Amino acid sequence: MAANPGAAGGLEGAGAGVNRPALEVAGASRRFGDTPALDGVDLSVAPGEWVALLGANGAGKTTLMRAIADRVALDAGSIRLAGNPAGSPEARERLGIVPQRIAIYPHLSVRENLAVFARIHGVPPARLQERVSEALDWTRLEDRASDAAGTLSGGMQRRLNIACGILHEPALVLMDEPTVGLDVPSREQIHRLLSDLRHRGVAILESTHELETVEASCDRVLIMRAGQVLASGTVGQLAQAGRLTRHRCRVTLASEPAGVQLPAGFRLHGRRIEGQVASIAADLATLLEAISDAGLEVVEVSVDPPDLEDVFVHFTGEPVAERPS
Ligand code: ATP
């Protein structure tokens, strides 16, 4: 997983105290009727730390985010932002929210949107133009500054949406699926923006179903189910905690075989043979021997440790969640 440069250092301009967690959630619980949307959640996020919140649909991710933003009241427990109770004016100042649904004014220009959100977030008038210029530069939208926001591409609108949520330099940013539905280049651009935020000491809590990008960018994952935190840590730590020792093994053949007798646990997909192995040396040797006996040619072999999907399935007992529609 990614390094966490900001967590060890101080905070540049984000307003929180040094060494104080950007977010502390203790015993957070909330029921809706019989449903425990949050059931004793504990979580601490350091300045500059990027935490991905994972869980199947209905796990409680949105409710946790909404409670942090003081949009849902807790039945029990507490939430503090840089030491300040959620909902207090000090906590609000330190919180940035980037909603999944793009929340910009389509008929206003990009620059006007930034100025409006800067005012909403209480950026002092003397700093407003400077913050708007910085945001245009940061999002690489300077050449579209005078265009109506509604005419931007989907990826550009998301960049603008993120900028609108962080103009007041919050210490903690909540993001609900910031890259959902975007193509790969747009996703990468957004991850660059988020990575830059983290380098400035901003803590990020991101709810996502995109496991493939989480491993590359986030410092830590938190897996939720039925309102509870099932596990928290890097993929390596979680694989160790779950005693996931099987490696993914893939052998690519020069051509699709007419027939081959594979050892138990391996399956053929076109030219590729895939399986999970407990002992790389013994199981891979058995497979390669079978391939050799069949007179087939191998062009590539790869062996990978358990990934985030393996960890997710192990802890939740569920397949990777579908994105909410
Ligand atoms: P998704 O990935 O689908 O967005 P989630 O992990 O964000 O799911 P939540 O939206 O937090 O899950 O929902 C957790 C549980 O609480 C669900 O069973 C949901 O139906 C329930 N819930 C959330 N908000 C309310 C509400 N306002 N009234 C009733 N039930 C609610």
Side-chain angles (χ1 to χ4, degrees):
M1 301 200 96
N4 175 14
L11 204 63
E12 292 171 27
V18 177
N19 295 331
R20 194 161 50 182
L23 174 68
E24 293 163 282
V25 178
S29 298
R30 170 68 204 243
R31 295 185 81 85
F32 291 106
D34 291 338
T35 307
L38 294 178
D39 187 6
V41 170
D42 295 319
L43 164 66
S44 176
V45 183
E49 192 179 20
W50 183 350
V51 176
L53 204 52
L54 307 179
N57 298 133
K61 306 178 297 293
T62 305
T63 305
L64 177 58
M65 297 261 211
R66 296 187 70 212
I68 294 166
D70 194 40
R71 290 177 184 172
V72 160
L74 295 179
D75 298 329
S78 66
I79 298 177
R80 301 182 89 80
L81 283 78
N84 306 286
S88 65
E90 295 80 7
R92 282 179 201 283
E93 259 175 43
R94 288 164 170 81
L95 180 64
I97 300 173
V98 178
Q100 184 189 126
R101 205 151 45 95
I102 292 174
I104 52 178
Y105 298 99
H107 300 299
L108 296 185
S109 73
V110 170
R111 190 192 301 281
E112 286 164 344
N113 265 282
L114 290 167
V116 166
F117 279 96
R119 279 192 207 100
I120 290 172
H121 290 315
V123 173
R127 286 266 292 142
L128 196 135
Q129 283 317 320
E130 185 190 341
R131 285 300 292 147
V132 169
S133 299
E134 283 169 5
L136 287 171
D137 176 50
W138 187 60
T139 52
R140 297 186 193 165
L141 289 173
E142 290 126 316
D143 57 337
R144 304 296 302 267
S146 303
D147 295 348
T151 66
L152 300 179
S153 71
M156 290 174 184
Q157 289 193 16
R158 285 211 176 262
R159 268 142 62 194
L160 177 59
N161 200 39
I162 292 173
C164 288
I166 60 111
L167 280 159
H168 55 304
E169 299 174 278
L172 169 71
V173 179
L174 304 180
M175 306 228 179
D176 194 1
E177 304 216 46
T179 56
V180 68
L182 292 182
D183 58 18
V184 172
S186 299
R187 253 194 254 172
E188 284 171 356
Q189 274 176 324
I190 285 181
H191 276 103
R192 266 200 298 278
L193 291 184
L194 301 189
S195 181
D196 178 63
L197 272 185
R198 176 228 265 140
H199 276 85
R200 294 196 235 164
V202 177
I204 301 172
L205 184 62
E206 174 194 359
S207 163
T208 182
H209 292 284
E210 291 172 356
L211 301 194
E212 68 279 13
T213 53
V214 165
E215 255 187 287
S217 52
C218 298
D219 299 307
R220 182 155 61 95
V221 297
L222 196 87
I223 301 178
M224 291 184 72
R225 190 182 62 186
Q228 296 184 337
V229 175
L230 297 179
S232 167
T234 63
V235 175
Q237 288 167 345
L238 295 182
Q240 223 170 11
R243 297 175 193 274
L244 298 181
T245 51
R246 296 176 80 82
H247 282 57
R248 283 174 183 261
C249 176
R250 177 183 288 177
V251 174
T252 307
L253 304 174
S255 59
E256 196 170 332
V260 55
Q261 194 68 37
L262 296 176
F266 288 100
R267 293 175 67 176
L268 183 67
H269 309 271
R271 288 198 298 132
R272 278 202 328 260
I273 298 169
E274 291 180 354
Q276 294 209 328
V277 298
S279 162
I280 298 172
D283 296 340
L284 190 57
T286 307
L287 174 65
L288 291 175
E289 202 178 309
I291 292 170
S292 173
D293 288 349
L296 302 169
E297 191 188 339
V298 172
V299 292
E300 198 179 333
V301 175
S302 67
V303 180
D304 296 301
D307 65 8
L308 184 52
E309 189 174 333
D310 298 319
V311 164
F312 184 90
V313 171
H314 171 81
F315 279 100
T316 63
E318 300 179 43
V320 175
E322 286 170 25
R323 288 198 294 265
S325 51

